[in-house]
C-alpha cells in the first residue's frame, strides 16, 4: 500500500514537473516570437454574406477584430498577436478624421518597445489611399502592413484568412523593417506609393501595373526583389501628431466635353488645393483651364495629374506650369496626389516647395 501511494505521488510529481516544463517551453517560444498588433477598421475582410456563395452584395464591417484573429489560429504560431478595433466601417466611408486617428494610434504603438510591427485590416475601396497616407506620416522603421480581402469571411473562397496570416508574418519579419508601409494581398507585397486597386471584384485586384510589386510571400515568408526609392515614414517631413484636421483638397475629373462647373463648385466649397485629373499627359481642356487659372489666382494650389493611371505627368508638357504656377503630380494617381497635396499644405503654400515634395515622395 505504501509503495502504491509512493508510486502515485511520484507520478503526480512527474506530471506536475512536465506541465511546468511545457509551460516554460511555451513561454520561451512565445518570447522569441515578434509582437504584432492588429488594428481593425472594418471592410470586406470583416464582412458577411447571406450564404457561402455570396461574393458580391454582402455586408461589410460586421466581424470584430477578436473574431478575425480567432478565425486564423495559425497566426499565434508566428507572432504574439493583440487586436484593437479602431473603426468598423466600409472603406468608402474612410475620411480624413479617420486617417488622423489611425496615424496617431500607429505612431503611439510603434513607439513602444514591445511592439515589433502593425497590421491594419481595411476595406479595399480606399486601402491604397490609407496606405499612402500612413506611408507619409508614420514615424518608425518598424513594419506597417495594410491588408484586406475581396471576399467576405463567410464565402467559400474567402481570401481574408490567408491574407491576414501573410500580413502578420510580414509585419513580424526583420526583412520588412525600413521599407515603408506595405500592402499584403494575394501572396504579393506592394509598396504603398505604387499599388492600386485595378479590378472591381477579383482577388488579384491590387497591382502596381507599371512599376511592379516589390515581393512575394510564400510559405509565410516574405521575399523582396526590389527597393522603394522614394522617401517615406521616418524620412518624411510631415507630422500629424498635433493636427485635428487636414486642408480641404478635392479632385476635378476631366473627360470629353468637360466644362468648368466642377472646378468652380469645388473652389466655392472651400478647396485650398485642387488636383486636376486630366486626360492624357494631364492636358487642360479649353473650357476648364480658365477656371483653374482663376482658382490659382485666388490662392488655390493646382496640381496637374492624369486619369490614365500610369506614367509621368511632364512638367511644362501639356501646359506651361512655370507660367501658370501649377504643380505636376509626377506618377501619383489623382487620389494619391490629393493626399500628398493635403499634407504639403500643412507645411507650405509655396508651389516650388510643393513641387519638390511631389518629386520626393
Amino acid at each position: 500500500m505504501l509503495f502504491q501511494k509512493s508510486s502515485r505521488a511520484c507520478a503526480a510529481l512527474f506530471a506536475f514537473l512536465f506541465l511546468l516544463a511545457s509551460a516554460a517551453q511555451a513561454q520561451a517560444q512565445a518570447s522569441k516570437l515578434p509582437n504584432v498588433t492588429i488594428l481593425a477598421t472594418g471592410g470586406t475582410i470583416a464582412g458577411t454574406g447571406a450564404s457561402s456563395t455570396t461574393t458580391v452584395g454582402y455586408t461589410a464591417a460586421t466581424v470584430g477584430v477578436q473574431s478575425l484573429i480567432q478565425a486564423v489560429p495559425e497566426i499565434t504560431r508566428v507572432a504574439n498577436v493583440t487586436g484593437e478595433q479602431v473603426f468598423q466601417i466600409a472603406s468608402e466611408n474612410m475620411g480624413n478624421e479617420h486617417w488622423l486617428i489611425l496615424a496617431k494610434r500607429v505612431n503611439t504603438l510603434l513607439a513602444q518597445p514591445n511592439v515589433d510591427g502593425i497590421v491594419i485590416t481595411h476595406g479595399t475601396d480606399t486601402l491604397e489611399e490609407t496606405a499612402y497616407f500612413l506611408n507619409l506620416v508614420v514615424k518608425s522603421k518598424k513594419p506597417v502592413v495594410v491588408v484586406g480581402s475581396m471576399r467576405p469571411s463567410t464565402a467559400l473562397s474567402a481570401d481574408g484568412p490567408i491574407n491576414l496570416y501573410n500580413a502578420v508574418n510580414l509585419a513580424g519579419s526583420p526583412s520588412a523593417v525600413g521599407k515603408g508601409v506595405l500592402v499584403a494581398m494575394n501572396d504579393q507585397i506592394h509598396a504603398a506609393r505604387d499599388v492600386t486597386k485595378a479590378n472591381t471584384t477579383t482577388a488579384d485586384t491590387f497591382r502596381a501595373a507599371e512599376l511592379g510589386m516589390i515581393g512575394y510571400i510564400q510559405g509565410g515568408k516574405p521575399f523582396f526583389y526590389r527597393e522603394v526609392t522614394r522617401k517615406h515614414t521616418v524620412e518624411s517631413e510631415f507630422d500629424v501628431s498635433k493636427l485635428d484636421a487636414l486642408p480641404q483638397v478635392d479632385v476635378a475629373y476631366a473627360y470629353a466635353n468637360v466644362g468648368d462647373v466642377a472646378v468652380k463648385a469645388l473652389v466655392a466649397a472651400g478647396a485650398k488645393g485642387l488636383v486636376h485629373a486630366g486626360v492624357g499627359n494631364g492636358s487642360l481642356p479649353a473650357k476648364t483651364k480658365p477656371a483653374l487659372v482663376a482658382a490659382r489666382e485666388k490662392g488655390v494650389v493646382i496640381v496637374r495629374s492624369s486619369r490614365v493611371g500610369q506614367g509621368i505627368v511632364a512638367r511644362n508638357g501639356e501646359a506651361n506650369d512655370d507660367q501658370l504656377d501649377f504643380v505636376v503630380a509626377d506618377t501619383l494617381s489623382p487620389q494619391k496626389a490629393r493626399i500628398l497635396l493635403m499634407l504639403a499644405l500643412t507645411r507650405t503654400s509655396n508651389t516650388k516647395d510643393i513641387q519638390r515634395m511631389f518629386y520626393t515622395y
Side-chain angles (χ1 to χ4, degrees), residues 42-48 58-63 88-92 123 152:
T44 297
I45 195 171
T48 53
Y58 51 83
T59 303
T62 60
V63 179
Q88 187 67 297
I89 60 174
S91 71
E92 64 266 25

Side-chain angles (χ1 to χ4, degrees), residues 38-60:
I38 298 176
L39 299 180
T41 69
T44 297
I45 195 171
T48 53
S51 72
S52 61
T53 57
T54 301
T55 57
V56 294
Y58 51 83
T59 303

Side-chain angles (χ1 to χ4, degrees), residues 107 110 130-144 175-182 190-194 214 224 226-239 332 340 343 356-357 359-361:
N107 280 327
L110 292 180
T130 297
Y132 185 56
F133 178 79
L134 293 173
N135 196 56
L136 296 173
V137 300
V138 166
K139 297 302 180 185
S140 174
K141 290 186 177 182
K142 295 177 182 179
V144 175
S175 65
V177 173
K179 286 184 166 56
V181 175
L182 303 172
H190 289 276
R193 184 189 186 278
D194 304 327
I214 62 175
F224 288 95
R226 73 176 182 89
E227 294 293 328
V228 176
T229 59
R230 293 300 178 96
K231 289 185 177 181
H232 55 74
T233 55
V234 294
E235 295 181 326
S236 168
E237 62 200 89
F238 307 115
D239 181 6
L332 287 177
L340 181 51
L343 290 170
R356 173 192 61 79
M357 295 174 186
Y359 287 140
T360 301
Y361 303 104

